[in-house]
Amino acid sequence: MDKARLYQHGTVGKKVFAHQIDDEPWWRGQKVPLICPFCMTAVVSVRTTVGRAPRGALFRLAADRQHEDVCPLNPTEVLQKIAHGSQGVAFVQGDELHLVLPGDMSQIGATTPVVDTGPTPGDHFGLAISTVRPLLPPLINSAVVIVRFLQKHGFDADVVAQFKVRRPGEDKAMPWGEFCHGPAPADRAGLYARLTDRPKPTHPVAIYGRVAAVEQDSQDRPVLRLADGSGFSVRIRSEHPSLLSPLAADTFVLAVGAWKVWTPRKGRPELQMFAEEHWQLAHWTYSDATDRSGPPFCPPPLSLAQRTLRQARTAVAVRAKPASLRAGSPSLTPRPGGQSTTAAAPPSAPQPAPPTMAVPAAADFPAPPVPMRPPAPVLDPTPSAPALPAPPPLPPRPSAPPQPAGPPRRTRRSWWPFSRRR
């Protein structure tokens, strides 16, 4: 936890904050008793640790103590509520909550969203287990509730250890940090290292953090910049401005998607995610002064026009490579087709054949008893000859084709007697 309250002589005092612990405040030097900010459970202050796993100062439950049942920070109560409303994607095992991750992102959006009656009236701490509006898939909704609960505890290591994740088909549970990276910069640096040097994750990945600024890309679309890491930046982009426009600076966001590392020609490397669906971004507000969390929201779903545009772009991207291959080697593909057409053209339609084929077609037409054309003289070779303007010189004047060539003159003598005989 990042807050506590003083408790002296049976009286609840003012609030104290975790960032004051390392400055040796008077209440720490005098060992004034501290209690939970939401119930009467005793807590103790823990200073910042330095080492392989650095951790900030925080307030932790005293030994053998548990939050009251009505306290919104009671892990047992919250774990049961999350498992009950998760539609089977989360279950309680001992004192831990296991969240089952799907194999890819497409399986998340295919699940049925959680349906509830809306925010619980009188939820002063913003910890009611209710669905983010618009409706989110069960996995994202459960993850949002877990992150908001850990935010109340200041991401205490002992509380974080009560949440595990599982890959599909595996019985061994992984730490929560294998799925959700944040809020410390070291958490995002761990994801950066996994995407560059180590084996890349085979399951959906989330980043939790505060929106540091809303920037604009080269096409004047909003870009969310989270807290920068060591030597790289963290940004959320999208081709649909409607997915990022509802988020403002200083809001907390849980971004679930396919993260990657992009290294531009100039500037620092970027740990980025392209949002494609509304359920990938859940955001809310949180006040350190009042310990209040605003209701969680997510951007509106994509419209039909946006989905159609995305499908068209996907289709173009899929066909781009085969189309370029066909355009780059046109001689290979039409070659067999050209050979087949040239081989079929001479026997089926030689130059003197068009008039001969038109005559039997005319004779065959009146053969069936069709009432539309009863008289046979309608289809006569005489009207068919003027119907073909291009080949008329061939049938009446067979002497025209052999004239231009010299050798055919000898053959011409053999043809003339034959034609005279006719």
Side-chain angles (χ1 to χ4, degrees):
M1 294 181 296
D2 59 346
K3 301 177 185 62
R5 293 181 298 175
L6 301 177
Y7 187 72
Q8 289 180 300
H9 310 294
T11 304
V12 178
K14 64 179 182 179
K15 294 181 181 179
V16 293
F17 301 91
H19 62 81
Q20 303 173 354
I21 297 176
D22 292 337
D23 298 335
E24 290 296 336
W26 65 271
W27 47 264
R28 180 178 173 86
Q30 298 181 10
K31 298 182 179 180
V32 177
L34 304 174
I35 60 174
C36 171
F38 306 118
C39 65
M40 301 299 295
T41 305
V43 299
V44 294
S45 59
V46 181
R47 300 185 62 180
T48 301
T49 58
V50 179
R52 293 184 178 180
R55 179 179 56 196
L58 51 84
F59 297 101
R60 179 178 298 173
L61 290 175
D64 301 331
R65 299 296 300 270
Q66 295 292 335
H67 290 279
E68 299 178 1
D69 294 340
V70 296
C71 180
L73 301 184
N74 187 347
T76 304
E77 186 71 16
V78 173
L79 264 58
Q80 294 293 339
K81 289 183 177 180
I82 296 176
H84 180 72
S86 66
Q87 297 187 6
V89 299
F91 60 93
V92 177
Q93 182 173 340
D95 58 348
E96 298 177 347
L97 179 73
H98 291 202
L99 187 65
V100 182
L101 303 179
D104 52 40
M105 291 293 299
S106 60
Q107 299 178 5
I108 298 179
T111 55
T112 305
V114 181
V115 179
D116 63 355
T117 58
T120 304
D123 180 23
H124 302 291
F125 306 107
L127 286 176
I129 312 302
S130 59
T131 304
V132 182
R133 303 293 176 168
L135 298 181
L136 290 181
L139 176 70
I140 305 300
N141 185 70
S142 302
V144 171
V145 177
I146 293 174
V147 171
R148 285 161 56 84
F149 175 73
L150 296 177
Q151 186 183 37
K152 291 290 185 180
H153 281 276
F155 284 85
D156 187 355
D158 294 338
V159 181
V160 175
Q162 293 185 270
F163 297 92
K164 306 289 185 180
V165 291
R166 287 190 180 185
R167 286 190 289 261
E170 296 186 5
D171 297 334
K172 183 179 179 181
M174 302 182 301
W176 175 256
E178 294 289 331
F179 165 67
C180 183
H181 299 264
D187 300 332
R188 293 184 285 272
L191 177 59
Y192 184 88
R194 292 178 63 187
L195 296 176
T196 52
D197 301 333
R198 306 175 188 175
K200 296 179 175 56
T202 58
H203 54 79
V205 177
I207 283 186
Y208 157 77
R210 185 197 296 265
V211 179
V214 180
E215 304 171 342
Q216 300 291 329
D217 63 0
S218 58
Q219 300 181 7
D220 294 335
R221 294 176 300 190
V223 178
L224 305 181
R225 181 174 62 84
L226 305 184
D228 294 337
S230 177
F232 64 93
S233 58
V234 184
R235 285 182 172 87
I236 302 175
R237 302 175 180 270
S238 179
E239 295 182 353
H240 308 287
S242 61
L243 296 180
L244 303 183
S245 55
L247 284 79
D250 295 331
T251 58
F252 292 89
V253 60
L254 178 68
V256 184
W259 291 85
K260 65 177 182 179
V261 175
W262 175 61
T263 304
R265 295 182 179 179
K266 296 182 180 180
R268 299 189 304 172
E270 180 176 319
L271 181 62
Q272 64 176 213
M273 185 198 81
F274 273 84
E276 299 180 355
E277 296 289 347
H278 73 284
W279 47 261
Q280 293 184 255
L281 301 172
H283 59 96
W284 63 93
T285 59
Y286 179 76
S287 175
D288 294 334
T290 60
D291 297 326
R292 300 289 179 88
S293 292
F297 296 99
C298 65
L302 296 180
S303 62
L304 180 60
Q306 290 175 322
R307 294 189 179 277
T308 304
L309 178 61
R310 186 179 65 181
Q311 293 176 359
R313 290 177 177 176
T314 304
V316 170
V318 171
R319 297 173 184 173
K321 189 174 182 180
S324 61
L325 293 178
R326 288 194 297 268
S329 58
S331 59
L332 297 179
T333 305
R335 182 174 298 174
Q339 293 176 355
S340 60
T341 52
T342 52
S348 60
Q351 289 183 352
T356 56
M357 291 187 66
V359 173
D364 293 341
F365 238 113
V370 182
M372 297 176 59
R373 297 182 179 180
V378 176
L379 296 176
D380 195 68
T382 319
S384 64
L388 298 175
L394 297 177
R397 298 179 181 179
S399 58
Q403 283 180 359
R409 293 178 181 178
R410 299 178 182 178
T411 317
R412 186 177 179 181
R413 297 176 182 177
S414 61
W415 283 9
W416 280 112
F418 181 75
S419 60
R420 290 174 183 174
R421 293 176 185 178
R422 288 184 179 180

